[in-house]
Amino acid sequence: MLASQIASATATAIATAGGWGVEGSLPLLGVVFVAGLGTGLLFLVSLVAYRRRRSAQYGLISVAVGALLARSVVGAGTVLGVVPMPVHHYVEHSLDFLIAAVVLYAVYAYAPGSVGDDTTAD
C-alpha cells in the first residue's frame, strides 16, 4: 500500500513538474553560478598567460576556455528561462565540439614533431 502511494505521488509530481525541469531551479542556478565564477577565473588566467606569451597556442587555449565560459552563460540563461531548451542543447553541444576541436588543434599543431616542424628529434 505504501509503495503504491509513493509511486502515485512520484508520478503526480513528475507530471506536474513536467519531469526534471530546470527553469527556475535555484539549486541548479547556484551550481551554474559557481561553475561560471570558476570558469571566468580560469578564462582571465588564460588571457593573462596569452598576453604574457603572445603565441597562437596560448590564444587557442584562451578560445577554448572562453567557450567553456559561454557554456555557463547559456546554462544560466536556460535556468532563468531566457534560453529555450532546444537552443540550449544546440549551442552547448556546438560549444563542446568547438572546445574539443580547438584543444586538439593546439596540441596537434604545436606539439614537438608536429606537421611542418622541420626539426627532428634524435
Side-chain angles (χ1 to χ4, degrees):
M1 175 105 173
L2 181 60
S4 65
Q5 288 175 337
I6 292 173
S8 176
T10 303
T12 302
I14 290 173
T16 303
W20 289 95
V22 298
E23 191 171 325
S25 171
L26 290 179
L28 189 56
L29 185 60
V31 169
V32 171
F33 180 74
V34 170
L37 284 177
T39 307
L41 180 62
L42 290 175
F43 181 59
L44 288 175
V45 169
S46 74
L47 288 176
V48 168
Y50 171 68
R51 187 167 183 251
R52 291 179 70 189
R53 300 292 180 162
R54 299 277 185 194
S55 73
Q57 183 178 13
Y58 283 85
L60 289 169
I61 297 303
S62 291
V63 168
V65 177
L68 282 174
L69 180 59
R71 289 184 85 244
S72 294
V73 171
V74 171
T78 302
V79 174
L80 294 173
V82 177
V83 178
M85 191 57 77
V87 174
H88 166 90
H89 283 293
Y90 177 75
V91 171
E92 294 253 341
H93 291 301
S94 297
L95 288 171
D96 290 340
F97 176 77
L98 175 69
I99 292 164
V102 167
V103 169
L104 289 174
Y105 177 75
V107 169
Y108 180 76
Y110 296 98
S114 62
V115 174
D117 188 7
D118 291 338
T119 61
T120 57
D122 292 317

